[in-house]
Amino acid sequence: MGNTSLAVHKAIVFTIIGVLLIPILATLAYSLSTHWGATILPEGFTFEWFHKLLSTPRFLWAFGRSLLICFSALILSTLLILPAIFVVFYYFPKLDKLMNLLILLPFSVPPVVSSVGMLQIYADSDISLIGTPWILIGTYFTIALPFMYRAIANSFSAINLRDLMDAAHLLGASTPKAFFLVVLPNIKKGLMASLFLSFSFLLGEFVFANILVGTRFETLQIYLYSVRQESGHYTSALVMTYFFFIFLSTWLAGRIGAKS
């Protein structure tokens, strides 16, 4: 009975994995095919589409802009959110319930509504933000806030923060020194998980980027949208490049977390 149940569970798991892999493998095959029309399998394989993609300056610039926006937003998020969570858990633990409610606010308003609201606010402002990367960095910060707060807060909940801080104080460490040398190493896994989770989400964001900056600061998703009708093979190569990059980032996050 036990072996039969285990076999059934394995069959279900492998079936789900297979179903999830079908569109990825199909996209990969299309990105490597010379022509794939009325036949079941591609008529030939080539790396031409990947070579064309990686040698296109417009794609490289769009990819670089996306990385710049994501890294800037994540650095800003870390500098603001990490100290805020520490203050909440160490000095005002009762505020955690309120913070859990507040961090959900970015999800309560649809991105289209938020974008239109920001356009109305900043269109006539003396500070020119519309069409610049600065407004995207601030917007992406609000998007990353729920992911980062929840992951880091779980790490703080898993450690005995007050005892760690008290022990560090008894040994002569100041509160900032205790935070950097004692607390931060203990929450490293949660911090890294929140960063990579937020990064993978932000890199694929389209609505805010399209409405707030558009082609004035072309990011990866805007570029993908603009070339979607040029060639299915080229678009598939772009999608697979994006997928491989996210997969590599996730793998590196797992390796870093395992060594921590």
Side-chain angles (χ1 to χ4, degrees):
M1 178 66 73
N3 293 333
T4 303
S5 178
L6 181 61
V8 171
H9 291 165
K10 287 184 176 180
I12 294 174
V13 171
F14 286 125
T15 301
I16 294 175
I17 293 175
V19 171
L20 293 176
L21 286 177
I22 288 174
I24 298 176
L25 294 177
T27 305
L28 176 62
Y30 197 71
S31 67
L32 294 173
S33 63
T34 55
H35 182 73
W36 195 358
T39 58
I40 297 178
L41 296 176
E43 296 180 8
F45 292 95
T46 179
F47 285 98
E48 175 188 353
W49 306 111
F50 283 95
H51 179 267
K52 181 180 178 181
L53 175 70
L54 297 177
S55 60
T56 302
R58 185 182 169 191
F59 163 74
L60 298 176
W61 277 107
F63 190 65
R65 292 188 192 102
S66 292
L67 293 180
L68 174 64
I69 295 295
C70 292
F71 288 149
S72 300
L74 292 178
I75 291 173
L76 178 63
S77 300
T78 303
L79 293 177
L80 295 179
I81 296 174
L82 193 56
I85 299 177
F86 172 75
V87 169
V88 168
F89 274 80
Y90 187 57
Y91 294 104
F92 310 103
K94 293 183 179 180
L95 290 179
D96 183 44
K97 293 182 179 179
L98 177 61
M99 292 297 295
N100 286 327
L101 178 63
L102 292 178
I103 62 172
L104 295 177
L105 291 179
F107 288 145
S108 64
V109 182
V112 174
V113 177
S114 301
S115 301
V116 173
M118 282 187 283
L119 285 175
Q120 293 179 345
I121 292 174
Y122 295 108
D124 299 327
S125 175
D126 295 333
I127 303 175
S128 180
L129 291 177
I130 303 299
T132 68
W134 305 111
I135 193 169
L136 272 188
I137 293 174
T139 303
Y140 282 11
F141 164 75
T142 63
I143 298 175
L145 176 61
F147 297 101
M148 294 197 64
Y149 184 90
R150 192 64 268 157
I152 298 175
N154 289 339
S155 296
F156 272 100
S157 299
I159 64 175
N160 199 326
L161 178 61
R162 187 159 295 278
D163 286 351
L164 286 175
M165 293 298 296
D166 290 343
H169 288 155
L170 287 174
L171 294 174
S174 62
T175 298
K177 188 175 182 179
F179 171 76
F180 284 106
L181 298 182
V182 179
V183 177
L184 197 56
N186 282 278
I187 63 169
K188 185 187 297 183
K189 287 186 178 181
L191 177 60
M192 295 301 299
S194 67
L195 287 174
F196 279 95
L197 177 63
S198 301
F199 174 76
S200 61
F201 188 84
L202 294 179
L203 193 63
E205 201 285 321
F206 172 74
V207 177
F208 284 110
N210 186 46
I211 295 178
L212 296 177
V213 297
T215 56
R216 287 169 290 183
F217 193 82
E218 191 177 53
T219 60
L220 180 61
Q221 293 301 319
I222 297 176
Y223 176 74
L224 174 60
Y225 180 77
S226 65
V227 301
R228 70 192 187 283
Q229 295 180 342
E230 291 185 8
S231 170
H233 300 281
Y234 182 82
T235 305
S236 298
L238 198 161
V239 172
M240 291 310 304
T241 301
Y242 168 77
F243 174 80
F244 286 139
F245 184 80
I246 294 298
F247 179 81
L248 178 62
S249 300
T250 305
W251 179 78
L252 288 176
R255 295 286 295 179
I256 293 173
K259 292 180 180 180
S260 301

